[in-house]
Amino acid sequence: MAEKKTKDAVALLKADHRIVEELFEKYEKASGDGSKQKLAERICLELSVHAKIEEEIFYPACEGKVDEELLKEAYVEHDGAKILIAEIEAGEPSDEFYDAKVKVLSEQVEHHVTEEEQRIEGIFAQARKAGLDMDALGEQLAARKAELTATYKKSGLPTPELTTIGA
Ligand SMILES: [Fe+2]
Ligand SMILES: [Fe+2]
């Protein structure tokens, strides 16, 4: 990245959302199995890293500061996404339900992103209002994101680590 200054936490997480939305749009337009698979793998990587840095760093910082129900729903939504991600990772574009899985994942992510980004009521807005140190969190998120991206690229995505299913 050419930027010198680290993004604050919300800017970093929102930028991730935009990247994934763009990839989903490209997937919709893609035709060949090869390009579909590449895009799907990129989506799975981006989302896996993103969910993990939120669950490791951002959501815990929101505890007690953001509406508890909303935060709990966010964890469950992440787990739903992780299950579909694992399915997509294990499959290939010629599979009967592959496109449908990518589509449903995009719809679930869209809903989840709204809950995070919604003005005033959203997780990010509540966290900012509560005075979280977004610069410090942004640095932590960026560092962990770089680390996880490198690991996942090297050794593949982990089997889904579900936070709420069965809990
Ligand atoms: Fe997010
Ligand atoms: Fe999230």
Side-chain angles (χ1 to χ4, degrees), residues 57-118:
I57 298 163
F58 192 76
Y59 288 177
C62 291
E63 294 285 343
K65 303 200 156 77
V66 167
D67 177 54
E68 201 189 331
E69 298 302 314
L70 192 59
L71 213 47
K72 280 185 174 164
E73 286 170 30
Y75 281 108
V76 176
E77 286 165 2
H78 276 195
D79 279 353
K82 287 174 209 168
I83 292 169
L84 276 176
I85 288 167
E87 282 289 304
I88 293 163
E89 278 284 309
E92 43 189 80
S94 57
D95 294 347
E96 189 183 0
F97 291 106
Y98 194 88
D99 281 342
K101 284 170 185 169
V102 174
K103 180 71 183 170
V104 171
L105 179 63
S106 82
E107 289 167 352
Q108 289 185 354
V109 166
E110 191 187 333
H111 166 84
H112 178 71
V113 162
T114 306
E115 302 225 287
E116 290 185 339
E117 294 193 13
Q118 207 157 45

Side-chain angles (χ1 to χ4, degrees):
M1 293 289 268
E3 293 153 84
K4 286 194 191 87
K5 200 177 161 289
T6 319
K7 290 192 184 83
D8 88 12
V10 169
L12 182 145
L13 296 172
K14 281 186 174 177
D16 278 359
H17 294 166
R18 300 295 88 76
I19 287 171
V20 173
E21 283 164 2
E22 209 174 294
L23 289 166
F24 276 125
E25 269 173 43
K26 282 190 183 157
Y27 186 93
E28 286 266 309
K29 291 182 199 133
S31 47
D33 281 359
S35 54
K36 277 189 180 179
Q37 180 137 19
K38 259 193 201 135
L39 286 163
E41 275 168 9
R42 177 85 198 284
I43 289 167
C44 290
L45 172 70
E46 294 286 345
L47 284 177
S48 299
V49 172
H50 182 82
K52 193 145 178 75
I53 61 174
E54 283 186 339
E55 288 191 27
E56 275 187 8
I57 298 163
F58 192 76
Y59 288 177
C62 291
E63 294 285 343
K65 303 200 156 77
V66 167
D67 177 54
E68 201 189 331
E69 298 302 314
L70 192 59
L71 213 47
K72 280 185 174 164
E73 286 170 30
Y75 281 108
V76 176
E77 286 165 2
H78 276 195
D79 279 353
K82 287 174 209 168
I83 292 169
L84 276 176
I85 288 167
E87 282 289 304
I88 293 163
E89 278 284 309
E92 43 189 80
S94 57
D95 294 347
E96 189 183 0
F97 291 106
Y98 194 88
D99 281 342
K101 284 170 185 169
V102 174
K103 180 71 183 170
V104 171
L105 179 63
S106 82
E107 289 167 352
Q108 289 185 354
V109 166
E110 191 187 333
H111 166 84
H112 178 71
V113 162
T114 306
E115 302 225 287
E116 290 185 339
E117 294 193 13
Q118 207 157 45
R119 290 181 60 219
I120 307 164
E121 307 265 290
I123 293 178
F124 296 169
Q126 289 188 38
R128 204 185 276 288
K129 197 177 170 204
L132 288 195
D133 185 343
M134 294 300 180
D135 287 328
L137 282 168
E139 274 179 36
Q140 286 181 52
L141 289 166
R144 187 69 178 127
K145 183 182 169 180
E147 207 172 73
L148 283 168
T149 305
T151 310
Y152 290 174
K153 273 187 180 163
K154 208 171 113 205
S155 8
L157 301 184
T159 41
E161 296 160 19
L162 303 177
T163 309
T164 68
I165 305 297

